[in-house]
Amino acid sequence: MGKWKDGTGTLAAPGDLAVPLEVAASYRARRRGLLGRDGIAGALLIVRTNSVHTFGMRFAIDVAYLDRSFRVLSVVTMRPGRLGMLRPRGRHVLEAEAGAMAGWGVRRGVRVRVETGPVEGALRGGPGEGPGWGGPGEGPG
Protein backbone atom coordinates (compact mmCIF):
# COMPACT_ATOMS: atom_id res chain seq x y z
CA MET A 1 0.00 0.00 0.00
CA GLY A 2 1.20 3.48 -0.81
CA LYS A 3 1.82 6.24 1.70
CA TRP A 4 -1.04 8.61 2.39
CA LYS A 5 -0.35 12.28 3.16
CA ASP A 6 -2.50 15.11 4.48
CA GLY A 7 -3.63 17.33 1.65
CA THR A 8 -6.27 17.87 -0.97
CA GLY A 9 -7.67 16.03 -3.91
CA THR A 10 -10.81 15.19 -5.79
CA LEU A 11 -13.52 12.64 -5.09
CA ALA A 12 -14.86 11.24 -8.35
CA ALA A 13 -18.46 10.38 -7.50
CA PRO A 14 -20.94 8.48 -9.71
CA GLY A 15 -21.80 10.26 -12.92
CA ASP A 16 -18.28 11.73 -13.08
CA LEU A 17 -19.10 14.46 -10.58
CA ALA A 18 -15.84 15.87 -9.19
CA VAL A 19 -16.03 16.89 -5.52
CA PRO A 20 -13.27 18.83 -3.71
CA LEU A 21 -11.66 16.60 -1.11
CA GLU A 22 -9.48 17.04 1.95
CA VAL A 23 -7.36 14.06 2.99
CA ALA A 24 -6.66 13.45 6.69
CA ALA A 25 -3.82 10.94 6.92
CA SER A 26 -1.68 12.00 9.88
CA TYR A 27 -2.69 11.14 13.42
CA ARG A 28 -3.32 14.82 14.17
CA ALA A 29 -5.46 15.47 11.06
CA ARG A 30 -7.44 12.24 11.53
CA ARG A 31 -8.09 13.08 15.19
CA ARG A 32 -9.28 16.60 14.38
CA GLY A 33 -11.47 15.67 11.40
CA LEU A 34 -14.26 18.23 11.09
CA LEU A 35 -14.20 19.30 14.75
CA GLY A 36 -14.48 23.04 15.30
CA ARG A 37 -15.79 23.75 11.81
CA ASP A 38 -19.13 25.18 10.79
CA GLY A 39 -19.24 23.21 7.53
CA ILE A 40 -17.17 21.81 4.68
CA ALA A 41 -17.12 22.54 0.97
CA GLY A 42 -16.85 19.06 -0.50
CA ALA A 43 -15.75 16.08 1.57
CA LEU A 44 -13.13 14.84 4.03
CA LEU A 45 -11.46 11.46 3.58
CA ILE A 46 -10.11 9.97 6.80
CA VAL A 47 -7.75 7.16 5.87
CA ARG A 48 -6.99 4.03 7.86
CA THR A 49 -10.07 4.11 10.10
CA ASN A 50 -13.33 2.19 10.35
CA SER A 51 -15.23 4.23 12.93
CA VAL A 52 -15.93 7.90 13.68
CA HIS A 53 -17.74 10.05 16.22
CA THR A 54 -19.41 13.45 16.14
CA PHE A 55 -18.68 14.59 19.70
CA GLY A 56 -17.91 18.32 19.60
CA MET A 57 -19.24 18.76 16.04
CA ARG A 58 -21.40 21.75 15.12
CA PHE A 59 -23.39 20.19 12.28
CA ALA A 60 -24.79 16.86 11.10
CA ILE A 61 -22.71 14.85 8.63
CA ASP A 62 -23.07 12.04 6.12
CA VAL A 63 -20.54 9.27 6.75
CA ALA A 64 -19.63 6.74 4.06
CA TYR A 65 -17.63 3.72 5.19
CA LEU A 66 -15.32 2.50 2.41
CA ASP A 67 -13.58 -0.85 1.98
CA ARG A 68 -10.00 -1.25 0.69
CA SER A 69 -11.13 -0.90 -2.94
CA PHE A 70 -13.13 2.27 -2.15
CA ARG A 71 -16.50 0.55 -2.49
CA VAL A 72 -19.12 2.09 -0.20
CA LEU A 73 -20.13 -0.34 2.57
CA SER A 74 -22.78 1.97 4.04
CA VAL A 75 -23.79 5.60 4.31
CA VAL A 76 -25.29 7.02 7.50
CA THR A 77 -26.21 10.51 8.65
CA MET A 78 -24.90 11.36 12.11
CA ARG A 79 -26.04 14.24 14.28
CA PRO A 80 -23.57 15.93 16.64
CA GLY A 81 -22.76 13.99 19.82
CA ARG A 82 -23.00 10.47 18.35
CA LEU A 83 -20.64 7.49 18.21
CA GLY A 84 -20.57 5.63 14.89
CA MET A 85 -20.62 1.86 14.63
CA LEU A 86 -17.39 -0.02 14.03
CA ARG A 87 -17.25 -1.39 10.46
CA PRO A 88 -14.87 -4.39 10.50
CA ARG A 89 -14.39 -4.37 6.69
CA GLY A 90 -14.06 -0.59 6.60
CA ARG A 91 -10.67 0.89 5.74
CA HIS A 92 -11.49 4.56 5.15
CA VAL A 93 -14.27 7.00 6.00
CA LEU A 94 -15.65 9.76 3.85
CA GLU A 95 -17.44 12.66 5.60
CA ALA A 96 -19.55 15.49 4.16
CA GLU A 97 -22.38 17.77 5.25
CA ALA A 98 -25.66 15.92 5.82
CA GLY A 99 -27.51 15.30 2.57
CA ALA A 100 -24.52 15.86 0.29
CA MET A 101 -23.78 12.22 -0.48
CA ALA A 102 -27.29 11.49 -1.71
CA GLY A 103 -26.94 14.42 -4.10
CA TRP A 104 -23.62 13.04 -5.34
CA GLY A 105 -25.02 9.52 -5.83
CA VAL A 106 -22.77 8.02 -3.13
CA ARG A 107 -24.64 5.02 -1.71
CA ARG A 108 -24.01 1.42 -0.67
CA GLY A 109 -22.30 -0.65 -3.36
CA VAL A 110 -21.00 2.32 -5.36
CA ARG A 111 -17.28 2.63 -5.93
CA VAL A 112 -15.72 6.06 -5.63
CA ARG A 113 -12.35 7.24 -6.92
CA VAL A 114 -9.95 9.42 -4.98
CA GLU A 115 -7.36 11.50 -6.78
CA THR A 116 -4.86 13.33 -4.61
CA GLY A 117 -3.28 16.64 -5.53
CA PRO A 118 -4.30 20.29 -5.90
CA VAL A 119 -8.00 21.09 -6.11
CA GLU A 120 -9.43 23.79 -8.34
CA GLY A 121 -12.19 24.67 -5.85
CA ALA A 122 -15.89 24.28 -6.54
CA LEU A 123 -17.87 21.23 -7.53
CA ARG A 124 -17.78 20.57 -11.22
CA GLY A 125 -19.26 18.06 -13.62
CA GLY A 126 -17.18 15.91 -15.92
CA PRO A 127 -14.54 13.29 -15.38
CA GLY A 128 -11.90 13.64 -12.70
CA GLU A 129 -8.30 14.20 -13.68
CA GLY A 130 -5.84 11.34 -13.69
CA PRO A 131 -6.30 7.60 -13.93
CA GLY A 132 -6.03 6.52 -10.29
CA TRP A 133 -8.59 4.35 -8.51
CA GLY A 134 -8.54 4.51 -4.76
CA GLY A 135 -5.54 6.25 -3.28
CA PRO A 136 -1.78 6.02 -3.37
CA GLY A 137 -0.73 2.54 -4.42
CA GLU A 138 -4.27 1.16 -4.44
CA GLY A 139 -5.58 -0.56 -7.56
CA PRO A 140 -9.15 -1.11 -8.73
CA GLY A 141 -9.51 -4.59 -7.39
Side-chain angles (χ1 to χ4, degrees):
M1 178 170 136
K3 176 103 171 121
W4 285 95
K5 295 180 181 176
D6 293 342
T8 60
T10 303
L11 172 71
D16 289 328
L17 179 67
V19 178
L21 183 72
E22 295 177 38
V23 178
S26 68
Y27 174 77
R28 183 177 184 181
R30 290 169 47 221
R31 182 170 166 82
R32 174 143 191 225
L34 296 175
L35 295 176
R37 299 190 196 187
D38 292 323
I40 182 170
L44 173 70
L45 176 67
I46 304 174
V47 299
R48 299 181 311 267
T49 191
N50 59 4
S51 181
V52 296
H53 69 84
T54 57
F55 298 116
M57 301 244 345
R58 298 179 182 165
F59 58 99
I61 60 172
D62 282 346
V63 177
Y65 295 90
L66 310 174
D67 68 11
R68 71 179 71 240
S69 65
F70 287 78
R71 188 167 313 278
V72 178
L73 299 172
S74 67
V75 178
V76 296
T77 301
M78 294 177 63
R79 295 182 313 194
R82 302 290 188 247
L83 179 62
M85 287 181 51
L86 179 70
R87 307 288 179 180
R89 288 184 22 230
R91 295 295 179 265
H92 311 289
V93 171
L94 191 62
E95 297 180 345
E97 289 192 25
M101 290 196 196
W104 300 335
V106 175
R107 63 187 180 285
R108 185 177 184 202
V110 166
R111 188 154 177 215
V112 296
R113 189 172 68 231
V114 172
E115 299 165 2
T116 57
V119 176
E120 295 176 17
L123 297 176
R124 65 184 194 278
E129 300 165 9
W133 279 96
E138 308 233 0

